[in-house]
Amino acid sequence: MTLLIFGLMLFLGIHSVQIINPRIRARTIEKGGSLGAWMWPYTAIAATGLLCIIFGYGLARPQASLLYSPSPALQHVALLLMLPVFPLLIATYLRGYIRTVLQHPMLIATLFWALAHLLANGGWADVLLFGAFLLWAIADWLSLRRRQSTESRSSTNVTSWHRNDLIAIFAGLLLYGLFIIDLHARFFGAWPIAALAR
């Protein structure tokens, strides 16, 4: 559990510095003279934290005690909550109406992902991992809403449905299908679609 906690502190900590100090990125780039002055340390810390989370969760989950046992009904809800996650993640990187309207689709995807996994898993390691991400996503979303950038309201935003939105939806739903049928079990050892059989 220690490795998981350390990873969460690194990963969510570095992703939270702009919540606490919104100007830190700009100041670091200005002081260092290039974008790399911010991006290289940021990426190194985030990547180290992510690796610690992955390995720490894998080690902690089999040994963690159970806080609650999710009902089959909640597991069905979790599958529904996961439905928009992949389309939102893809929409984050494609200029389209979805990104314009939601402004922060990746954070919303993180909220749905964390909540869905809290509904489907009741172990200490699960609550720690997904609960931490849920709280972070809420805090970051509220912070970003408070400091709406002029960029988010710029004329480059898409004001109607765009081809990129269709790409995000169809590609995201395809990924969702692949994950629940095969990839989730292959990568994480759990078969989400088994909940449908209960």
Side-chain angles (χ1 to χ4, degrees):
M1 195 77 78
T2 303
L3 186 60
L4 174 59
I5 294 171
F6 179 69
L8 287 169
M9 289 172 63
L10 282 181
F11 187 83
L12 297 181
I14 195 64
H15 281 86
S16 300
V17 291
Q18 291 189 91
I19 297 176
I20 301 166
N21 188 348
R23 290 281 301 152
I24 190 171
R25 183 179 185 271
R27 281 202 300 266
T28 304
I29 293 171
E30 183 181 351
K31 196 172 183 179
S34 70
L35 181 61
W38 168 261
M39 287 305 299
W40 285 114
Y42 185 95
T43 303
I45 294 170
T48 302
L50 183 59
L51 287 173
C52 290
I53 288 171
I54 293 169
F55 287 109
Y57 180 66
L59 292 171
R61 192 179 187 201
Q63 304 169 3
S65 58
L66 196 67
L67 283 178
Y68 56 88
S69 183
S71 70
L74 286 179
Q75 293 178 344
H76 284 82
V77 174
L79 285 172
L80 287 175
L81 284 173
M82 283 298 298
L83 197 60
V85 168
F86 289 107
L88 288 173
L89 285 175
I90 295 172
T92 301
Y93 300 99
L94 299 176
R95 193 171 69 88
Y97 190 62
I98 295 174
R99 195 173 77 176
T100 298
V101 171
L102 298 180
Q103 298 182 356
H104 312 294
M106 181 178 284
L107 278 178
I108 297 172
T110 303
L111 284 168
F112 281 123
W113 169 80
L115 181 57
H117 283 78
L118 282 172
L119 292 177
N121 302 279
W124 259 111
D126 305 302
V127 173
L128 180 61
L129 172 62
F130 302 115
F133 269 92
L134 180 64
L135 293 175
W136 169 80
I138 292 170
D140 200 24
W141 186 79
L142 291 173
S143 173
L144 286 168
R145 292 288 293 176
R146 279 196 304 269
R147 46 187 175 92
Q148 288 292 321
S149 67
T150 55
E151 183 182 347
S152 67
R153 298 188 299 270
S154 70
S155 59
T156 60
N157 284 338
V158 178
T159 56
S160 61
W161 284 93
H162 189 275
R163 180 182 60 184
N164 284 345
D165 298 305
L166 297 178
I167 293 172
I169 291 170
F170 285 113
L173 291 178
L174 177 62
L175 272 175
Y176 171 80
L178 289 173
F179 257 84
I180 66 168
I181 291 170
D182 178 63
L183 295 181
H184 197 281
R186 190 184 299 271
F187 294 148
F188 307 110
W191 196 41
I193 205 168
L196 298 176
R198 298 180 185 178

